[in-house]
Amino acid sequence: NQDTVLFLGYTGSGKSTTIHFLSGTSFAKTATDHFKPVDVRNQECDKIRLTDKVTESVTRFISAVPINLRDAGADVYGDDAKINIFLADTPGFFDSDGAEVDVANGLGIVNAVRNAKSL
């Protein structure tokens, strides 16, 4: 029951990488034009796996990473309760493991939406 930003999109679209970036992770470009983390500042990001294969599903369940918006460099005004939020990584649409996994992932997303304080 937290203020949450839920990241949705296709498998390989960059949801996990975006959460790492917004959480303060620094990246280096690889020889294959992908980005790999070189400095993970928010240790909660350790549970958010990254891959350099766009078609490979690596996120198996919803994982939420707490961040402080001010620590992340955002200009926050007003309600202090909104300073601490969660960035929630979700499995991608059209999971590489098939339609049954997509259905199960969809149910998990519905539950996350129901349990969030705000999205």
Side-chain angles (χ1 to χ4, degrees):
N1 196 359
Q2 298 290 328
D3 296 312
T4 304
V5 177
L6 191 66
F7 287 78
L8 302 170
Y10 291 107
T11 292
S13 63
K15 299 176 298 297
S16 301
T17 303
T18 300
I19 289 171
H20 265 273
F21 178 77
L22 292 174
S23 298
T25 298
S26 298
F27 291 87
K29 195 171 186 179
T30 68
T32 58
D33 286 338
H34 287 89
F35 293 91
K36 68 176 182 175
V38 292
D39 180 23
V40 179
R41 294 189 185 125
N42 183 338
Q43 296 309 307
E44 292 287 327
C45 282
D46 287 342
K47 61 187 173 188
I48 307 290
R49 291 185 51 213
L50 299 175
T51 182
D52 60 356
K53 298 176 184 158
V54 177
T55 59
E56 178 186 6
S57 301
V58 294
T59 303
R60 296 289 171 220
F61 51 87
I62 297 172
S63 296
V65 174
I67 67 163
N68 178 292
L69 293 173
R70 285 197 179 116
D71 291 346
D75 291 328
V76 180
Y77 304 99
D79 187 1
D80 280 349
K82 302 287 187 195
I83 292 173
N84 295 303
I85 64 168
F86 282 88
L87 304 179
D89 194 18
T90 62
F93 302 135
F94 299 107
D95 190 282
S96 60
D97 288 331
E100 295 85 3
V101 174
D102 264 341
V103 171
N105 291 342
L107 293 173
I109 291 168
V110 168
N111 284 333
V113 169
R114 286 183 178 155
N115 291 320
K117 179 179 178 183
S118 68
L119 287 176

